[in-house]
Amino acid sequence: MEQNFELSERKVDIQDKRIADIIIYQLDAIKGHYDENLELITKQFPIAEQLKQEGNVEAAETIWRTQIVLLSSAFDFFMHEIVWYGLDKIYDGDWPQTEQYKNLSIRLETLQTIMEDLDSKTWFADYITEKYKTQTIMIFGDVRDHLNLIGVSVDNVAKEAFYQQGCSVKPKDQMKQKLDGLYSRRNRIAHQTDRSERDAERQAISDGQVITFIEDVNKIVVAIMGEKRKRLLQ
């Protein structure tokens, strides 16, 4: 029997491999994403409370620790979307350029892409998301620097979030303490299972601590949104 040694035609995947365009969301959508993430976090409180009532305190504490990690992530993602939104507004000429914006650098490869299609803006969305997506924006210094990049005053944000008449601690110092405290606890949980590097003892935790962290982050988010909306009215 004669065998057929002809090569069969190779099946080619003809699906569209084009990467989807990056979406720069508007303020309402950005806040919506944060609220959705926050709802996921707060829905864990009844579960933790039930476990606590049943005597399974360790399981409840695990949920509270998880909530802290998720809260940090929710704020980090919120900051990324806010930065992308602000940079997009500056690029379109809707907001004035900041010194930090003027000093942004691009690769020659990106410049070549721009020159090939001067009427396209897709390159800019790709550029800013690639540039900032791997950066963590959780601690006060990073939040301050990224807000400055898009022309938002951290002093105004801190004052709106934490000013109290008669309080001896400046709003900006309060904001720093709260953000850095959250980040420090998040790192201890994520990298050390909430154990001390000195004696390996787990740090005590309660639902009240988680609630305080949530309230503080919410104040900052609301204040940043307020500053952004003011810019739209100018």
Side-chain angles (χ1 to χ4, degrees), residues 4-232:
N4 182 4
F5 291 99
E6 292 183 5
L7 294 175
S8 61
E9 183 178 355
R10 180 175 178 268
K11 293 183 179 180
V12 179
D13 185 357
I14 59 174
Q15 292 183 3
D16 186 3
K17 298 293 187 180
R18 188 177 67 87
I19 299 175
D21 292 339
I22 300 297
I23 300 175
I24 305 297
Y25 287 97
Q26 298 303 300
L27 287 181
D28 288 343
I30 293 173
K31 183 59 162 55
H33 296 159
Y34 172 78
D35 290 342
E36 289 173 7
N37 290 332
L38 186 63
E39 183 181 10
L40 174 65
I41 295 167
T42 57
K43 279 184 175 179
Q44 308 310 307
F45 280 119
I47 301 173
E49 181 60 27
Q50 181 64 35
L51 290 169
K52 179 182 175 183
Q53 294 299 324
E54 294 172 354
N56 197 346
V57 177
E58 185 173 329
E61 290 178 343
T62 298
I63 290 177
W64 295 330
R65 291 186 174 98
T66 301
Q67 286 176 298
I68 289 176
V69 175
L70 291 175
L71 176 64
S72 298
S73 297
F75 179 67
D76 184 48
F77 187 70
F78 167 80
M79 283 300 306
H80 277 86
E81 289 205 299
I82 281 292
V83 169
W84 294 329
Y85 171 83
L87 289 173
D88 189 62
K89 283 292 183 183
I90 294 175
Y91 179 82
D92 284 343
D94 297 329
W95 292 354
Q97 296 183 10
T98 64
E99 287 302 315
Q100 294 87 340
Y101 177 88
K102 293 176 182 178
N103 289 324
L104 289 177
S105 59
I106 61 174
R107 300 170 57 188
L108 287 176
E109 180 183 17
T110 303
L111 181 60
Q112 181 67 36
T113 301
I114 299 170
M115 298 302 295
E116 290 173 355
D117 190 358
L118 294 175
D119 294 328
S120 174
K121 182 186 168 184
T122 301
W123 73 268
F124 183 74
D126 291 339
Y127 164 72
I128 61 177
T129 49
E130 284 296 321
K131 184 175 181 63
Y132 293 103
K133 72 177 183 180
T134 58
Q135 297 187 22
T136 301
I137 314 177
M138 296 183 192
I139 64 174
F140 174 79
D142 290 337
V143 172
R144 176 199 60 212
D145 292 346
H146 284 83
L147 289 179
N148 286 339
L149 170 66
I150 57 176
V152 175
S153 167
V154 72
D155 291 298
N156 291 346
V157 170
K159 184 177 180 180
E160 179 64 28
F162 299 113
Y163 174 77
Q164 292 178 314
Q165 188 172 3
C167 181
S168 60
V169 182
K170 295 179 180 179
K172 189 162 65 172
D173 292 336
Q174 292 186 55
M175 183 172 169
K176 176 176 171 54
Q177 291 171 5
K178 295 175 188 302
L179 282 178
D180 291 357
L182 173 62
Y183 184 66
S184 176
R185 190 63 185 271
R186 175 259 183 200
N187 282 352
R188 184 190 291 265
I189 294 168
H191 302 297
Q192 301 168 212
T193 62
D194 213 15
R195 293 181 182 272
S196 168
E197 63 277 2
R198 295 181 179 275
D199 56 15
E201 291 294 320
R202 277 201 175 91
Q203 187 171 343
I205 192 169
S206 68
D207 57 347
Q209 291 175 333
V210 180
I211 291 171
T212 298
F213 278 133
I214 290 175
E215 290 175 345
D216 290 338
V217 170
N218 281 344
K219 290 176 182 177
I220 296 170
V221 167
V222 170
I224 291 174
M225 291 294 297
E227 286 298 305
K228 286 288 192 177
R229 295 191 190 283
K230 288 178 185 176
R231 297 289 300 272
L232 291 176

